[in-house]
Amino acid sequence: MGVDEEFMRRALTLARQGKGRVEPNPMVGAVVVREGAVVGEGWHERFGGLHAEPNALAAAGEKSRGATLYVNLEPCAHFGKTPPCSDVILKAGIAKVVFATRDPNPVTAGKGPAMLRAAGVEVVEGVLEAEARKLNAPFFKLITTGRPFVILKWAMTLDGKIATRTGESKWITSAEARAHVHKVRREVDAVLVGIGTVLADDPELTCRLPEGGRNPKRVVLDSRARIPMTAKLVKTARQAEVIVATTSDASAAKIGDLRHAGCSVIVADGPGGKVDLGALLTELGRRQMTSVLVEGGAEVIGAFLDAKLADHVMAFIAPILVGDAQAKPPAVGRPISSLADALRLTDVQVARFGDDLLIEGSL
């Protein structure tokens, strides 16, 4: 690994500390290096706060003059909630800027590097670009498509069941696996389930970690607005946002009751009286959501797979066997007759939580 890659990897590590705190902004880390030694570090810590570059330059102080700045996303050149980072870099006297990937936002794309080069700063781009784009995949997707990054998550037995034939699913996985799910909830903008899951489990879909953390927005696919007014989601709608995605088949009175209780309601008519998932994702993107964790049930997972709207899969596998053909599988979608038609994950990773395995990858 070369010197540039070493310091860029450190910038990526710093950037990750902003996950779940900076959205819909990207995660960005910056490292100031002088004569081969790190003299300042920083990252974008929260939405609306200073960007990574001014934080790192402030930490370096006068040592920034003549130094090299490493950052995983090109420095911005526009006024947003904070001044342009390119101006701050020039004022600090940085001699060289190394960045991993360009910003997909047309408002700023390429302008920062051009400004720096015009001022005589040496600029190198493309160092660990693939890793940088992967880190901020949700941000890139929102900017380029207007829709959030969709993660499908389920927990199943070794023989591929997410619940018994009676619907019992608590708990298939270990406490360690469930704690990891809460960490993921803390990092995403929204958690989505179908009305079947709400009626069966009455979940809260909040982040329940000892150290705390932000709650995601909670989305329910409910084509006829059947969610009970006594559901935990409805009763806590003023504490953490609840979005009920429904259709024009739903009762106008019930929609009014849900809104009065503090829920947001999106009407998105799709084929067969179902919620139009594409239209829903577009609306969530309009609301600046970068990532959605889809937690089921099986028909919801299947619908996202059938529509090719998922970007990532997280499948927890517990070492238990149900052995019942009538128990519930993780996804119920279109029938396929050939494995050639099956969806295959790429960039597959495996982790262990207690006795459970997590297999995840990209679609």
Side-chain angles (χ1 to χ4, degrees):
M1 181 169 61
V3 171
D4 284 351
E5 287 78 8
E6 176 187 349
F7 291 123
M8 187 61 72
R9 203 167 295 285
R10 176 59 184 166
L12 289 166
T13 298
L14 291 167
R16 290 186 185 93
Q17 297 189 57
K19 193 169 188 178
R21 298 179 177 88
V22 303
E23 291 78 5
N25 285 350
M27 292 173 278
V28 183
V31 179
V32 182
V33 177
R34 185 170 182 173
E35 297 177 354
V38 174
V39 295
E41 295 183 338
W43 64 93
H44 185 28
E45 298 176 9
R46 60 178 179 83
F47 179 73
L50 290 175
H51 288 186
E53 297 95 322
N55 282 334
L57 293 169
E62 284 301 312
K63 293 180 181 178
S64 298
R65 298 210 165 269
T68 298
L69 175 70
Y70 292 84
V71 61
N72 59 291
L73 190 70
E74 70 169 87
C76 66
H78 69 290
F79 280 91
K81 292 184 177 295
T82 58
C85 291
S86 296
D87 285 348
V88 178
I89 292 169
L90 292 175
K91 289 176 183 176
I94 287 290
K96 180 179 178 180
V97 172
V98 180
F99 71 91
T101 185
R102 294 219 171 190
D103 193 320
N105 190 338
V107 171
T108 192
K111 295 178 182 177
M115 178 189 298
L116 295 171
R117 287 187 175 109
V121 176
E122 182 183 354
V123 179
V124 176
E125 63 179 281
V127 176
L128 299 187
E129 182 175 7
E131 290 91 331
R133 293 181 67 87
K134 179 181 177 181
L135 174 68
N136 278 311
F139 170 74
F140 275 75
K141 185 181 179 187
L142 178 64
I143 294 297
T144 57
T145 71
R147 290 178 175 178
F149 189 83
V150 176
I151 305 164
L152 305 183
K153 170 261 167 185
W154 63 81
M156 67 183 183
T157 63
L158 198 57
D159 53 346
K161 306 299 181 182
I162 63 170
T164 66
R165 65 169 65 199
T166 62
E168 182 184 350
S169 60
K170 295 182 178 179
W171 294 106
I172 287 176
T173 51
S174 63
E176 294 92 334
R178 298 197 300 275
H180 182 68
V181 171
H182 284 283
K183 289 180 181 178
V184 175
R185 284 183 183 176
R186 181 177 61 187
E187 296 171 349
V188 297
D189 293 320
V191 173
L192 183 149
V193 297
I195 183 59
T197 296
V198 175
L199 295 176
D201 299 336
D202 193 20
E204 291 186 57
L205 303 178
T206 51
C207 169
R208 296 188 296 279
L209 292 170
E211 66 271 24
R214 71 164 184 170
N215 284 318
K217 295 174 175 60
R218 297 162 301 165
V219 184
V220 181
L221 294 182
D222 187 5
S223 58
R224 288 174 289 161
R226 292 187 291 149
I227 186 171
M229 298 303 296
T230 55
K232 291 176 183 176
L233 287 170
V234 176
K235 292 169 72 173
T236 60
R238 298 192 188 278
Q239 284 75 56
E241 185 176 351
V242 172
I243 299 170
V244 178
T246 190
T247 69
S248 53
D249 290 338
S251 160
K254 181 62 174 292
I255 290 176
D257 289 342
L258 289 169
R259 285 178 170 149
H260 183 73
C263 298
S264 173
V265 179
I266 296 173
V267 178
D269 290 322
K274 302 286 188 180
V275 172
D276 186 321
L277 297 180
L280 172 61
L281 290 176
T282 297
E283 174 59 22
L284 296 182
R286 190 189 68 79
R287 299 185 185 197
Q288 292 296 288
M289 297 187 200
T290 59
S291 54
V292 176
L293 180 66
V294 179
E295 294 201 16
E299 290 187 5
V300 172
I301 297 288
F304 273 93
L305 290 173
D306 285 352
K308 293 183 170 56
L309 292 173
D311 300 289
H312 195 78
V313 167
M314 299 179 66
F316 290 88
I317 304 174
I320 59 176
L321 298 165
V322 173
D324 183 353
Q326 298 303 312
K328 300 182 179 181
V332 176
R334 61 183 176 85
I336 65 168
S337 56
S338 171
L339 286 177
D341 297 326
L343 299 174
R344 185 173 295 276
L345 300 183
T346 60
D347 192 23
V348 175
Q349 300 176 56
V350 180
R352 183 167 176 169
F353 296 92
D355 288 334
D356 305 325
L357 293 181
L358 167 61
I359 297 178
E360 58 182 318
S362 302
L363 283 168

